[in-house]
Amino acid sequence: MPIAAAGGIIFDERHRLLLVLRSKPPGVSTWSVPGGKCEPHEPAEAACVREVGEETGLTVEVIRWAGRVHRPAPDGGEYVIDDYLCRVVGGALRAGDDAADAGWFDLADLTELPLAAGLLEALAGWGLLPS
């Protein structure tokens, strides 16, 4: 059975992308957009806002749906991840929950980081790469 999840694609005023360093599977020790599993009966959009807050300390609002990716889950299942373009409306950036670190990155930075599988390709396909 697919596992519903959601992620937030967030840019700062310099059009750098917010990424978190995953401290737990899946994708441990890789950088990705903040996000995680939906709670039972939780809409993906609400899960996105909640997960971004838990992992980064930032309060966001969803601007629009960006796209969907399918990723393997550790137990042989599949994550179905809805990603949303969001804007920051409050809070202060800090790594929390299952994020070991968090920061803003430009496109040149992304080529140097160990990114979650498929992240760069998905962002490029949606026209959402940082500057």
Side-chain angles (χ1 to χ4, degrees):
M1 171 178 272
I3 302 164
I9 300 167
I10 305 150
F11 295 97
D12 69 1
E13 66 283 346
R14 293 173 37 200
H15 203 69
R16 295 177 301 172
L17 179 65
L18 177 62
L19 296 177
V20 295
L21 181 61
R22 311 284 310 162
S23 66
K24 298 179 183 173
V28 67
S29 299
T30 63
W31 290 88
S32 188
V33 296
K37 292 189 281 189
C38 300
E39 299 292 337
H41 309 293
E42 180 182 35
E45 195 170 305
C48 170
V49 171
R50 177 182 53 77
E51 285 285 344
V52 168
E54 290 173 1
E55 292 186 354
T56 70
L58 298 175
T59 303
V60 298
E61 66 181 5
V62 170
I63 298 169
R64 66 172 175 84
W65 182 76
R68 176 177 285 164
V69 295
H70 298 257
R71 298 289 180 254
D75 64 358
E78 179 183 56
Y79 289 108
V80 178
I81 307 165
D82 284 301
D83 286 318
Y84 294 88
L85 181 62
C86 301
R87 82 174 121 249
V88 176
V89 295
L93 182 60
R94 55 128 186 93
D97 196 29
D98 63 349
D101 198 0
W104 301 99
F105 300 93
D106 61 27
L107 186 56
D109 296 327
L110 296 189
T111 63
E112 304 297 321
L113 294 173
L115 298 177
L119 176 63
L120 202 55
E121 296 81 5
L123 293 172
W126 300 332
L128 291 172
L129 289 173
S131 297

CSV table of all heavy atoms in Angstrom, one decimal, residues 34-82:
chain,number,residue,atom,x,y,z
A,34,PRO,N,12.2,19.8,3.2
A,34,PRO,CA,11.6,19.3,4.4
A,34,PRO,C,10.2,18.7,4.1
A,34,PRO,O,9.5,19.1,3.2
A,34,PRO,CB,11.4,20.6,5.3
A,34,PRO,CG,11.5,21.7,4.3
A,34,PRO,CD,12.3,21.3,3.2
A,35,GLY,N,9.9,17.6,4.8
A,35,GLY,CA,8.7,16.9,4.6
A,35,GLY,C,8.6,15.6,5.3
A,35,GLY,O,9.6,15.2,6.0
A,36,GLY,N,7.5,14.9,5.2
A,36,GLY,CA,7.4,13.6,5.8
A,36,GLY,C,6.0,13.0,5.6
A,36,GLY,O,5.2,13.5,4.8
A,37,LYS,N,5.8,11.9,6.3
A,37,LYS,CA,4.5,11.2,6.1
A,37,LYS,C,3.3,12.0,6.6
A,37,LYS,O,3.4,12.7,7.6
A,37,LYS,CB,4.6,9.8,6.9
A,37,LYS,CG,5.6,8.9,6.3
A,37,LYS,CD,5.5,7.5,6.9
A,37,LYS,CE,6.1,7.5,8.3
A,37,LYS,NZ,6.2,6.1,8.9
A,38,CYS,N,2.2,11.7,5.9
A,38,CYS,CA,0.9,12.3,6.3
A,38,CYS,C,0.4,11.4,7.5
A,38,CYS,O,0.5,10.2,7.5
A,38,CYS,CB,-0.1,12.3,5.2
A,38,CYS,SG,0.4,13.2,3.7
A,39,GLU,N,-0.2,12.1,8.4
A,39,GLU,CA,-1.0,11.4,9.5
A,39,GLU,C,-2.2,10.8,8.9
A,39,GLU,O,-2.7,11.2,7.8
A,39,GLU,CB,-1.3,12.3,10.6
A,39,GLU,CG,-0.1,13.0,11.3
A,39,GLU,CD,0.7,12.0,12.1
A,39,GLU,OE1,0.2,11.0,12.5
A,39,GLU,OE2,1.9,12.3,12.3
A,40,PRO,N,-2.8,9.8,9.6
A,40,PRO,CA,-4.1,9.2,9.0
A,40,PRO,C,-5.1,10.3,8.8
A,40,PRO,O,-5.3,11.1,9.7
A,40,PRO,CB,-4.5,8.2,10.1
A,40,PRO,CG,-3.2,7.8,10.8
A,40,PRO,CD,-2.4,9.1,10.8
A,41,HIS,N,-5.7,10.3,7.6
A,41,HIS,CA,-6.8,11.2,7.2
A,41,HIS,C,-6.3,12.7,7.1
A,41,HIS,O,-7.1,13.6,7.0
A,41,HIS,CB,-8.0,11.1,8.2
A,41,HIS,CG,-8.5,9.7,8.3
A,41,HIS,ND1,-9.0,9.0,7.3
A,41,HIS,CD2,-8.4,8.9,9.4
A,41,HIS,CE1,-9.3,7.8,7.7
A,41,HIS,NE2,-9.0,7.7,9.0
A,42,GLU,N,-5.0,12.9,7.2
A,42,GLU,CA,-4.5,14.3,7.1
A,42,GLU,C,-4.2,14.6,5.6
A,42,GLU,O,-3.5,13.9,4.9
A,42,GLU,CB,-3.1,14.4,7.8
A,42,GLU,CG,-2.5,15.8,7.8
A,42,GLU,CD,-1.2,15.8,8.5
A,42,GLU,OE1,-0.4,14.8,8.5
A,42,GLU,OE2,-0.9,16.9,9.1
A,43,PRO,N,-4.8,15.7,5.1
A,43,PRO,CA,-4.5,16.1,3.7
A,43,PRO,C,-3.0,16.4,3.5
A,43,PRO,O,-2.3,16.9,4.4
A,43,PRO,CB,-5.3,17.4,3.5
A,43,PRO,CG,-6.4,17.4,4.7
A,43,PRO,CD,-5.7,16.6,5.8
A,44,ALA,N,-2.5,16.1,2.3
A,44,ALA,CA,-1.1,16.3,2.1
A,44,ALA,C,-0.7,17.8,2.3
A,44,ALA,O,0.4,18.0,2.8
A,44,ALA,CB,-0.8,15.9,0.6
A,45,GLU,N,-1.5,18.7,1.9
A,45,GLU,CA,-1.2,20.1,2.1
A,45,GLU,C,-1.0,20.5,3.6
A,45,GLU,O,0.0,21.2,3.9
A,45,GLU,CB,-2.3,21.0,1.5
A,45,GLU,CG,-1.9,22.4,1.3
A,45,GLU,CD,-3.0,23.2,0.5
A,45,GLU,OE1,-3.4,22.7,-0.6
A,45,GLU,OE2,-3.5,24.2,1.0
A,46,ALA,N,-1.8,19.9,4.4
A,46,ALA,CA,-1.7,20.2,5.9
A,46,ALA,C,-0.4,19.5,6.4
A,46,ALA,O,0.3,20.0,7.3
A,46,ALA,CB,-2.9,19.7,6.6
A,47,ALA,N,-0.1,18.3,5.9
A,47,ALA,CA,1.1,17.6,6.3
A,47,ALA,C,2.3,18.3,5.9
A,47,ALA,O,3.3,18.4,6.7
A,47,ALA,CB,1.1,16.2,5.7
A,48,CYS,N,2.3,18.9,4.8
A,48,CYS,CA,3.4,19.8,4.3
A,48,CYS,C,3.7,20.9,5.3
A,48,CYS,O,4.8,21.0,5.8
A,48,CYS,CB,3.1,20.3,2.9
A,48,CYS,SG,4.3,21.6,2.4
A,49,VAL,N,2.7,21.6,5.7
A,49,VAL,CA,2.9,22.8,6.6
A,49,VAL,C,3.4,22.3,7.9
A,49,VAL,O,4.3,22.8,8.5
A,49,VAL,CB,1.5,23.5,6.7
A,49,VAL,CG1,1.6,24.6,7.8
A,49,VAL,CG2,1.2,24.2,5.4
A,50,ARG,N,2.8,21.2,8.4
A,50,ARG,CA,3.2,20.6,9.7
A,50,ARG,C,4.6,20.1,9.7
A,50,ARG,O,5.4,20.5,10.6
A,50,ARG,CB,2.2,19.5,10.1
A,50,ARG,CG,2.6,18.8,11.4
A,50,ARG,CD,1.7,17.6,11.7
A,50,ARG,NE,1.6,16.6,10.7
A,50,ARG,CZ,2.5,15.7,10.3
A,50,ARG,NH1,3.6,15.6,11.0
A,50,ARG,NH2,2.3,14.8,9.4
A,51,GLU,N,5.0,19.4,8.7
A,51,GLU,CA,6.3,18.8,8.6
A,51,GLU,C,7.4,19.9,8.5
A,51,GLU,O,8.4,19.8,9.1
A,51,GLU,CB,6.4,17.8,7.5
A,51,GLU,CG,5.7,16.5,7.8
A,51,GLU,CD,6.5,15.6,8.7
A,51,GLU,OE1,7.7,15.8,8.9
A,51,GLU,OE2,5.9,14.6,9.2
A,52,VAL,N,7.1,20.9,7.6
A,52,VAL,CA,8.1,22.0,7.5
A,52,VAL,C,8.3,22.6,8.8
A,52,VAL,O,9.4,22.9,9.2
A,52,VAL,CB,7.6,23.0,6.4
A,52,VAL,CG1,8.4,24.3,6.5
A,52,VAL,CG2,7.7,22.4,5.0
A,53,GLY,N,7.2,22.9,9.6
A,53,GLY,CA,7.4,23.5,10.9
A,53,GLY,C,8.2,22.6,11.9
A,53,GLY,O,9.1,23.1,12.6
A,54,GLU,N,7.9,21.3,11.9
A,54,GLU,CA,8.6,20.4,12.8
A,54,GLU,C,10.1,20.3,12.4
A,54,GLU,O,10.9,20.3,13.3
A,54,GLU,CB,8.0,19.0,12.7
A,54,GLU,CG,6.6,18.9,13.3
A,54,GLU,CD,6.0,17.6,13.1
A,54,GLU,OE1,6.6,16.7,12.5
A,54,GLU,OE2,4.8,17.4,13.6
A,55,GLU,N,10.4,20.3,11.2
A,55,GLU,CA,11.8,20.1,10.7
A,55,GLU,C,12.6,21.4,10.7
A,55,GLU,O,13.9,21.3,10.7
A,55,GLU,CB,11.9,19.4,9.4
A,55,GLU,CG,11.4,18.0,9.5
A,55,GLU,CD,11.5,17.2,8.2
A,55,GLU,OE1,11.9,17.8,7.2
A,55,GLU,OE2,11.3,16.0,8.2
A,56,THR,N,12.0,22.5,10.5
A,56,THR,CA,12.7,23.8,10.3
A,56,THR,C,12.4,24.9,11.3
A,56,THR,O,13.2,25.9,11.3
A,56,THR,CB,12.5,24.3,8.9
A,56,THR,OG1,11.2,24.8,8.8
A,56,THR,CG2,12.7,23.3,7.8
A,57,GLY,N,11.4,24.8,12.0
A,57,GLY,CA,11.0,25.9,12.9
A,57,GLY,C,10.2,27.0,12.2
A,57,GLY,O,9.9,28.0,12.8
A,58,LEU,N,10.0,26.9,10.9
A,58,LEU,CA,9.4,27.9,10.1
A,58,LEU,C,7.9,27.6,9.9
A,58,LEU,O,7.5,26.5,9.7
A,58,LEU,CB,10.1,28.0,8.7
A,58,LEU,CG,11.5,28.4,8.7
A,58,LEU,CD1,12.1,28.4,7.3
A,58,LEU,CD2,11.7,29.8,9.3
A,59,THR,N,7.1,28.7,9.9
A,59,THR,CA,5.7,28.6,9.6
A,59,THR,C,5.6,29.0,8.1
A,59,THR,O,6.1,30.0,7.7
A,59,THR,CB,4.9,29.5,10.4
A,59,THR,OG1,5.1,29.2,11.8
A,59,THR,CG2,3.4,29.4,10.1
A,60,VAL,N,4.9,28.1,7.3
A,60,VAL,CA,4.7,28.4,5.9
A,60,VAL,C,3.3,28.3,5.5
A,60,VAL,O,2.5,27.7,6.2
A,60,VAL,CB,5.6,27.4,5.0
A,60,VAL,CG1,7.0,27.5,5.3
A,60,VAL,CG2,5.1,26.0,5.2
A,61,GLU,N,3.0,28.9,4.4
A,61,GLU,CA,1.7,28.7,3.7
A,61,GLU,C,1.9,28.2,2.4
A,61,GLU,O,2.9,28.5,1.7
A,61,GLU,CB,0.9,30.0,3.7
A,61,GLU,CG,1.4,31.1,2.9
A,61,GLU,CD,0.6,32.4,2.9
A,61,GLU,OE1,-0.4,32.5,3.6
A,61,GLU,OE2,0.9,33.3,2.1
A,62,VAL,N,1.0,27.3,1.9
A,62,VAL,CA,1.1,26.7,0.6
A,62,VAL,C,0.7,27.7,-0.5
A,62,VAL,O,-0.4,28.4,-0.3
A,62,VAL,CB,0.3,25.4,0.5
A,62,VAL,CG1,0.2,24.9,-0.9
A,62,VAL,CG2,0.9,24.4,1.5
A,63,ILE,N,1.5,27.9,-1.5
A,63,ILE,CA,1.2,28.7,-2.6
A,63,ILE,C,0.5,27.8,-3.7
A,63,ILE,O,-0.6,28.2,-4.2
A,63,ILE,CB,2.4,29.3,-3.3
A,63,ILE,CG1,3.1,30.2,-2.2
A,63,ILE,CG2,2.1,30.1,-4.6
A,63,ILE,CD1,4.5,30.7,-2.7
A,64,ARG,N,1.1,26.7,-4.0
A,64,ARG,CA,0.5,25.8,-5.0
A,64,ARG,C,1.1,24.4,-4.9
A,64,ARG,O,2.2,24.3,-4.4
A,64,ARG,CB,0.6,26.4,-6.4
A,64,ARG,CG,2.0,26.4,-6.9
A,64,ARG,CD,2.1,26.8,-8.4
A,64,ARG,NE,3.4,27.1,-8.9
A,64,ARG,CZ,4.2,26.1,-9.3
A,64,ARG,NH1,3.9,24.8,-9.3
A,64,ARG,NH2,5.5,26.4,-9.7
A,65,TRP,N,0.5,23.4,-5.5
A,65,TRP,CA,1.0,22.1,-5.7
A,65,TRP,C,2.1,22.2,-6.7
A,65,TRP,O,1.9,22.8,-7.8
A,65,TRP,CB,-0.1,21.1,-6.1
A,65,TRP,CG,0.3,19.7,-6.3
A,65,TRP,CD1,0.5,18.8,-5.3
A,65,TRP,CD2,0.5,19.0,-7.5
A,65,TRP,NE1,0.8,17.6,-5.8
A,65,TRP,CE2,0.8,17.7,-7.2
A,65,TRP,CE3,0.4,19.4,-8.8
A,65,TRP,CZ2,1.1,16.7,-8.2
A,65,TRP,CZ3,0.6,18.4,-9.8
A,65,TRP,CH2,0.9,17.1,-9.4
A,66,ALA,N,3.2,21.5,-6.5
A,66,ALA,CA,4.4,21.6,-7.4
A,66,ALA,C,4.4,20.3,-8.3
A,66,ALA,O,4.7,20.3,-9.5
A,66,ALA,CB,5.7,21.8,-6.7
A,67,GLY,N,4.2,19.2,-7.6
A,67,GLY,CA,4.3,17.9,-8.3
A,67,GLY,C,4.3,16.7,-7.4
A,67,GLY,O,4.3,16.9,-6.2
A,68,ARG,N,4.4,15.5,-8.0
A,68,ARG,CA,4.3,14.3,-7.2
A,68,ARG,C,5.5,13.4,-7.6
A,68,ARG,O,5.8,13.3,-8.8
A,68,ARG,CB,3.0,13.6,-7.4
A,68,ARG,CG,2.9,12.2,-6.7
A,68,ARG,CD,1.6,11.6,-6.9
A,68,ARG,NE,0.6,12.3,-6.1
A,68,ARG,CZ,-0.7,12.2,-6.2
A,68,ARG,NH1,-1.2,11.5,-7.2
A,68,ARG,NH2,-1.5,12.9,-5.4
A,69,VAL,N,6.1,12.8,-6.6
A,69,VAL,CA,7.2,11.8,-6.9
A,69,VAL,C,6.8,10.5,-6.2
A,69,VAL,O,6.1,10.5,-5.2
A,69,VAL,CB,8.6,12.3,-6.5
A,69,VAL,CG1,9.0,13.5,-7.4
A,69,VAL,CG2,8.6,12.6,-5.0
A,70,HIS,N,7.4,9.4,-6.7
A,70,HIS,CA,7.2,8.1,-6.1
A,70,HIS,C,8.6,7.6,-5.7
A,70,HIS,O,9.5,7.7,-6.5
A,70,HIS,CB,6.6,7.1,-7.0
A,70,HIS,CG,5.2,7.5,-7.4
A,70,HIS,ND1,4.1,6.9,-6.9
A,70,HIS,CD2,4.8,8.4,-8.3
A,70,HIS,CE1,3.0,7.4,-7.5
A,70,HIS,NE2,3.4,8.3,-8.3
A,71,ARG,N,8.8,7.3,-4.4
A,71,ARG,CA,10.1,6.8,-3.9
A,71,ARG,C,10.0,5.5,-3.1
A,71,ARG,O,9.0,5.3,-2.5
A,71,ARG,CB,10.8,7.9,-3.0
A,71,ARG,CG,11.0,9.2,-3.7
A,71,ARG,CD,12.2,9.1,-4.7
A,71,ARG,NE,12.4,10.4,-5.4
A,71,ARG,CZ,12.1,10.7,-6.6
A,71,ARG,NH1,11.5,9.8,-7.4
A,71,ARG,NH2,12.4,11.8,-7.1
A,72,PRO,N,11.0,4.7,-3.2
A,72,PRO,CA,10.9,3.4,-2.4
A,72,PRO,C,10.9,3.7,-0.9
A,72,PRO,O,11.7,4.6,-0.5
A,72,PRO,CB,12.1,2.6,-2.9
A,72,PRO,CG,13.0,3.6,-3.7
A,72,PRO,CD,12.2,4.8,-4.0
A,73,ALA,N,10.1,2.9,-0.2
A,73,ALA,CA,10.1,3.0,1.3
A,73,ALA,C,11.1,1.9,1.8
A,73,ALA,O,11.3,0.9,1.1
A,73,ALA,CB,8.7,2.8,1.8
A,74,PRO,N,11.6,2.1,3.0
A,74,PRO,CA,12.6,1.1,3.5
A,74,PRO,C,12.1,-0.4,3.6
A,74,PRO,O,12.8,-1.3,3.4
A,74,PRO,CB,13.0,1.6,4.9
A,74,PRO,CG,12.7,3.0,4.8
A,74,PRO,CD,11.5,3.2,3.9
A,75,ASP,N,10.8,-0.5,3.8
A,75,ASP,CA,10.2,-1.9,4.0
A,75,ASP,C,9.7,-2.5,2.7
A,75,ASP,O,9.0,-3.5,2.7
A,75,ASP,CB,9.0,-1.8,5.0
A,75,ASP,CG,7.9,-1.0,4.4
A,75,ASP,OD1,8.0,-0.4,3.3
A,75,ASP,OD2,6.9,-0.9,5.1
A,76,GLY,N,10.1,-1.9,1.5
A,76,GLY,CA,9.7,-2.4,0.3
A,76,GLY,C,8.4,-1.8,-0.3
A,76,GLY,O,8.0,-2.1,-1.4
A,77,GLY,N,7.8,-0.9,0.5
A,77,GLY,CA,6.7,-0.2,0.0
A,77,GLY,C,7.1,1.0,-0.8
A,77,GLY,O,8.2,1.1,-1.3
A,78,GLU,N,6.1,1.9,-1.0
A,78,GLU,CA,6.4,3.1,-1.8
A,78,GLU,C,5.8,4.3,-1.2
A,78,GLU,O,4.7,4.3,-0.7
A,78,GLU,CB,5.7,2.9,-3.2
A,78,GLU,CG,6.0,4.1,-4.1
A,78,GLU,CD,5.3,3.9,-5.5
A,78,GLU,OE1,4.0,3.7,-5.5
A,78,GLU,OE2,5.9,4.0,-6.5
A,79,TYR,N,6.6,5.4,-1.1
A,79,TYR,CA,6.1,6.7,-0.7
A,79,TYR,C,5.6,7.4,-2.0
A,79,TYR,O,6.2,7.4,-3.0
A,79,TYR,CB,7.3,7.6,-0.2
A,79,TYR,CG,7.8,7.1,1.2
A,79,TYR,CD1,9.0,6.5,1.3
A,79,TYR,CD2,7.0,7.3,2.3
A,79,TYR,CE1,9.5,6.1,2.5
A,79,TYR,CE2,7.5,6.9,3.6
A,79,TYR,CZ,8.7,6.4,3.7
A,79,TYR,OH,9.2,6.0,4.9
A,80,VAL,N,4.4,8.0,-1.8
A,80,VAL,CA,3.8,8.9,-2.8
A,80,VAL,C,3.9,10.2,-2.2
A,80,VAL,O,3.1,10.5,-1.3
A,80,VAL,CB,2.4,8.4,-3.2
A,80,VAL,CG1,1.8,9.4,-4.2
A,80,VAL,CG2,2.4,7.0,-3.7
A,81,ILE,N,4.8,11.1,-2.7
A,81,ILE,CA,5.1,12.4,-2.1
A,81,ILE,C,4.5,13.5,-3.0
A,81,ILE,O,4.9,13.7,-4.1
A,81,ILE,CB,6.6,12.6,-1.9
A,81,ILE,CG1,7.2,11.4,-1.2
A,81,ILE,CG2,6.9,13.9,-1.2
A,81,ILE,CD1,8.7,11.3,-1.2
A,82,ASP,N,3.6,14.3,-2.4
A,82,ASP,CA,3.1,15.5,-3.0
A,82,ASP,C,3.9,16.7,-2.5
A,82,ASP,O,4.0,16.9,-1.3
A,82,ASP,CB,1.6,15.7,-2.7
A,82,ASP,CG,0.8,14.8,-3.5
A,82,ASP,OD1,0.8,14.9,-4.8
A,82,ASP,OD2,0.0,14.0,-2.9
